[in-house]
Structure formats: C-alpha cells, structure tokens
Amino acid sequence: MMRKFLRPFLFGCGLAVLVAGFTLFHLHTAEAEQTHTDLRGSGTSDNPYTVEPLDLNPSEEAVQAESQPEFTYLGELEVAAYSSDGKELTYSGELPVKGRTAAGALSVFKIGDTVLIDGDTYVIEDKVDEAASEKLRIYFDSYEEAMQFGRKTCAVYRHSEEPLEGANYLGEFQVTGYCSCSLCCGEKEEKLTKSETVPKAAHTIAADPSVIPLGTRIVIDGVSYVVEDTGKAIKGKQLDIYFDTHEEAVRYGRKEKYVYLEE
C-alpha cells in the first residue's frame, strides 16, 4: 500500500526540482544578457538614459580623424597648373614640390594655408598675380604634366591657423630674412644694428619702430626675438629676421606670421 502512494510522491518531487532548475537557469541567462546590454550603453533600470561606451582601443582611422584640421568650403573654383625648372624658390622661400606646393592669390589665401583640392591636400607656398583669372594653381615638375592637367573647376576647401587672441597678440605680419652682407645692408664699416648691438641669429629682428619700438621682445613660432634693428623697406606690419648667412635669409623667403609680445 505504501509503495502505491510513494511512487507518485517521488515523481512529483522530481518534477518540482526540474521546474525549479529550469526557472533558475532562465533567470541567470536573462541577468547575463542585461549586464552585456548595459556594457553596450543602453542604460539600466537605475539609469535609463543611453550611455556611450568608452572605446579603450580607438582605431587608427578614428585617431587621424580627430587630429585632422577643420576646413572651410570655398566653393567650386577654377584651378590651373604651373611648373618651373625646380630651382626657382617659391614666394615662401621653399623649393616647390609636386603634390604639395600650390600658389594662391593673396587676396583669398595666405602663405601657409592648407587647401583641399578635389580631396588632395596642398600647401600655399607661392602666390598668383591678382590680375590672373584663376586664384589657385597646382605645381607640377614639368611643363608636360602641367599641360596635361590644364585648367579645371574643382571643389576647394581651406584651413588657416588661427591666432591666439589676447592682450599679447600684435597681429599678423609679413616676415622676411636678412643678414649683414652688402646685398642686405649695403656697404657698412661696422656691422651693427640700429641699437648698436652685434646682430645674432634666432635673436635679432628688424621692425618699423613706429609699430614695434626698439628693445621690444616678441615671439614668432615660439622663438623669442628682440627688436634691435630697422630698415628702409621695413614699414608697417613688416619684420625682418636676422640670419648668419645670405643663403639662409633667402631660403626663409617671405611668410605671413602671427606675432606676440613676450610675456
């Protein structure tokens, strides 16, 4: 008699244990899925707002995208090609390089601007005559390559470095180079500056004293200079940096630079 009731009882207990185990398994799986979802940033019951995941290993493309400068769209511009013998220096004093050097009208661009022309990057290192029909040109090594490019209408973007505006900012100046040779300074018995000091590279600079007085310390591209000299051709917002040799002065060329008072 006892066996008759014992079998159903044991069967019922086993079934209950099975159901309880199945339920616990599903609860554990759901909790794991919720935790995985939370890691993706969809929020929790305590914080229902979406949280962006932290990328501890950003891709190289993402890092490059963040470091890219911001470009301004200038529109569809006419772009021409030009070439030289490769020995003539650009307006900025650099040797032109195919795939890098571009020339621009200084009423639109400034020396040192980065431009995107149909997706290719160039640097404005030369100038275009303001009377030219096009305001932008691309340099090629040979006349044949320049003729092959011809003249096209291209999508053009520009990036210009902005100055650090503040009380120390003096403005944007045209900067050239000079030395103590007779070509730069004429025939002199004593190679002294207007301040009667011996000029030194990476130190002496010439300025218009009505704009920046003699003795003023200024900073250009992180280098500190002292205004110790003047020049007949140095008028208004123009500066002349001293170099030890005429070759270095010529190589520096002509650049547009942001100038700051030294703190």
Side-chain angles (χ1 to χ4, degrees):
M1 188 72 178
M2 205 60 183
R3 286 182 180 179
K4 185 177 180 181
F5 290 102
L6 189 58
R7 284 182 183 176
F9 175 76
L10 291 174
F11 179 77
C13 289
L15 187 60
V17 170
L18 204 64
V19 171
F22 184 75
T23 303
L24 287 173
F25 172 77
H26 273 280
L27 287 173
H28 178 74
T29 303
E31 184 179 355
E33 288 180 352
Q34 178 64 38
T35 302
H36 183 66
T37 303
D38 291 342
L39 290 175
R40 289 199 305 265
S42 63
T44 65
S45 57
D46 295 328
N47 180 19
Y49 300 103
T50 300
V51 179
E52 291 296 326
L54 177 62
D55 188 359
L56 298 179
N57 297 294
S59 65
E60 184 177 348
E61 291 79 5
V63 172
Q64 289 178 347
E66 288 185 1
S67 63
Q68 289 295 322
E70 293 184 5
F71 286 85
T72 301
Y73 178 58
L74 297 183
E76 298 285 326
L77 302 183
E78 188 176 45
V79 180
Y82 77 109
S83 66
S84 69
D85 59 6
K87 297 179 181 179
E88 295 180 12
L89 297 178
T90 63
Y91 185 74
S92 65
E94 304 286 342
L95 283 171
V97 177
K98 177 185 174 182
R100 185 193 75 189
T101 301
L106 298 186
S107 60
V108 180
F109 304 94
K110 69 179 182 181
I111 301 299
D113 278 355
T114 302
V115 291
L116 277 175
I117 304 173
D118 277 353
D120 294 320
T121 305
Y122 298 87
V123 179
I124 301 295
E125 297 178 334
D126 216 341
K127 70 173 183 175
V128 173
D129 190 280
E130 296 294 338
S133 59
E134 75 283 346
K135 303 301 180 186
L136 190 58
R137 293 175 184 167
I138 298 173
Y139 174 80
F140 288 90
D141 287 332
S142 68
Y143 177 77
E144 290 73 21
E145 289 177 302
M147 287 296 292
Q148 186 175 358
F149 180 89
R151 188 185 300 267
K152 300 178 182 178
T153 300
C154 306
V156 178
Y157 297 77
R158 177 186 61 194
H159 170 73
S160 296
E161 293 292 338
E162 296 299 324
L164 300 173
E165 298 282 3
N168 295 328
Y169 178 57
L170 296 178
E172 187 174 6
F173 285 67
Q174 186 179 89
V175 185
T176 51
Y178 79 109
C179 69
S180 297
C181 76
S182 58
L183 290 174
C184 291
C185 298
E187 297 295 338
K188 287 184 179 180
E189 293 184 7
E190 291 184 298
K191 304 295 184 180
L192 299 178
T193 66
K194 187 71 172 179
S195 303
E196 297 187 350
T197 60
V198 177
K200 294 184 292 184
H203 173 83
T204 301
I205 197 167
D208 182 341
S210 66
V211 178
I212 306 179
L214 290 171
T216 305
R217 291 183 174 272
I218 60 177
V219 177
I220 302 172
D221 288 340
V223 179
S224 176
Y225 298 92
V226 179
V227 177
E228 296 181 328
D229 214 350
T230 61
K232 293 181 180 179
I234 306 301
K235 301 295 181 184
K237 285 194 168 185
Q238 290 183 305
L239 296 169
D240 219 3
I241 295 175
Y242 178 81
F243 289 90
D244 286 329
T245 67
H246 187 73
E247 290 73 20
E248 290 176 295
V250 171
R251 195 181 308 125
Y252 184 83
R254 189 184 307 269
K255 307 178 189 297
E256 302 293 327
K257 294 291 184 180
Y258 299 128
V259 180
Y260 303 86
L261 280 173
E262 186 175 75
E263 295 181 354

